[in-house]
Amino acid sequence: MSRKRGRALLAWLTVTALAAALLIAGGVWVAGYFRDSLAPPLAIGCTATVGTGTYRLAVDQTENAALISALSVQRGMPARAASIALATSLQESKLRNIDYGDLDSVGLFQQRPSQEWGTAEQIMDPVYSATAFYNVLEKVPGYVDMPLNDAAQIVQRSGFPQAYAQHEGLSRAFASALTGQSPAALNCTLAPATPVGTPKTLEAALDAVLGPLPVTSTAGESSTTVTVPVPATMGWEVAHWSVANAQQFGITKVSYDGRRWDRDANNNGTNAGWQSAGTAAEPRHVVLSMAAPPAP
């Protein structure tokens, strides 16, 4: 081979190698781009895991489920009452406080002003409508032991009398978690927190559904620590209620009984749930972290 042809071949091999390297690098970049752009979005929502069953609700549904469940405990009713109420609301409104329905039905339970459930304005208040439901349910003889569907139908008098039974598994799981019967059973995956609540608004919300619980708070640079003293029988109920309402109050962490729910840990796609807090928890206190607005 002549010297001239050798130089030409070397140049050709160099150009070919460079082109191949660029092609490979470009392929890696394109693959990375599409991997990131086509990655599944954060699975926003909440789950209740009791026994071998895991059930899922959207965040707004979970907030309403927490309210309904908390009111049953405040009244001294058993977890079965919360299961019946949740199944009823799931069937009637999908656990959403809607201002429309069949005929004049509105609210979480689709109660009708024309059937003496109250005014439309009253029924649209979730605390009022859940309380009205429980007022009737607790007068049903033996409701705790009868089939869930039958108890719900006696209260509601629905045109679809067998419809409530289909929601029993989900309702029992969320009721068990949200009434505190099943520790560390409720988990929520949420978008990054923003400072949307204050200790005072949190205390008012707790008071509305669980009764007076004195709240103390300590402000930090990026978060506010809130301590809620609770009776031992209410600890997991308050802890789960706090997770269920983390979106609307900007809650980032909830600790109780040596376990911690960390909002950021769930945001990385690992669905971490409740983990060991690493240190002994202060007894009979639920400790929260709330996102704080940046310093001016």
Side-chain angles (χ1 to χ4, degrees):
M1 179 185 296
S2 69
R3 184 176 299 177
K4 183 175 182 181
R5 289 182 64 186
R7 286 198 299 268
L9 178 59
L10 179 61
W12 180 83
L13 289 173
T14 301
V15 170
T16 301
L18 180 60
L22 290 172
L23 187 61
I24 292 170
V28 170
W29 180 85
V30 169
Y33 171 81
F34 280 104
R35 182 191 64 234
D36 295 339
S37 62
L38 299 179
L42 192 66
I44 303 296
C46 300
T47 58
T49 301
V50 178
T52 59
T54 296
Y55 298 87
R56 183 177 180 84
L57 287 174
V59 175
D60 64 317
Q61 292 174 306
T62 306
E63 292 170 354
N64 288 324
L67 179 146
I68 291 169
S69 299
L71 286 172
S72 74
V73 175
Q74 187 188 73
R75 296 170 66 94
M77 301 177 80
R80 182 65 170 174
S83 296
I84 296 166
L86 293 182
T88 302
S89 185
L90 275 165
Q91 175 59 30
E92 299 293 349
S93 70
K94 292 183 169 54
L95 264 172
R96 291 187 164 109
N97 194 33
I98 54 178
D99 61 359
Y100 59 88
D102 182 51
L103 300 176
D104 58 339
S105 300
V106 294
L108 283 172
F109 296 89
Q110 289 292 279
Q111 294 153 332
R112 298 176 58 187
S114 62
Q115 292 185 346
E116 300 182 351
W117 283 101
T119 66
E121 182 178 5
Q122 287 174 321
I123 296 169
M124 285 301 297
D125 176 358
V127 174
Y128 175 94
S129 63
T131 299
F133 180 88
Y134 287 133
N135 284 343
V136 178
L137 178 64
E138 67 182 359
K139 295 175 184 176
V140 176
Y143 77 85
V144 173
D145 299 315
M146 70 173 55
L148 176 147
N149 188 92
D150 296 352
Q153 174 60 13
I154 291 171
V155 176
Q156 293 294 108
R157 306 185 299 277
S158 170
F160 301 93
Q162 303 302 319
Y164 303 107
Q166 64 185 310
H167 306 294
E168 183 162 3
L170 185 153
S171 297
R172 290 180 65 181
F174 272 88
S176 184
L178 291 167
T179 59
Q181 302 299 306
S182 296
L186 184 82
N187 181 36
C188 291
T189 299
L190 307 170
T194 55
V196 292
T198 68
K200 287 296 184 185
T201 59
L202 178 70
E203 184 175 14
L206 282 166
D207 183 74
V209 295
L210 290 169
L213 291 170
V215 170
T216 59
S217 61
T218 304
E221 289 186 8
S222 60
S223 65
T224 299
T225 299
V226 178
T227 302
V228 186
V230 292
T233 56
M234 291 179 63
W236 277 109
E237 179 190 6
V238 174
H240 284 156
W241 181 94
S242 302
V243 173
N245 288 277
Q247 182 79 11
Q248 66 170 315
F249 292 108
I251 296 171
T252 58
K253 292 182 179 67
V254 181
S255 298
Y256 179 69
D257 195 26
R259 308 287 291 276
R260 177 183 295 125
W261 172 84
D262 187 330
R263 181 173 181 154
D264 291 337
N266 276 359
N267 287 353
N268 64 15
T270 60
N271 197 28
W274 289 85
Q275 302 293 316
S276 171
T279 57
E282 189 175 1
R284 297 194 178 184
H285 287 79
V286 176
V287 180
L288 319 173
S289 294
M290 300 177 69

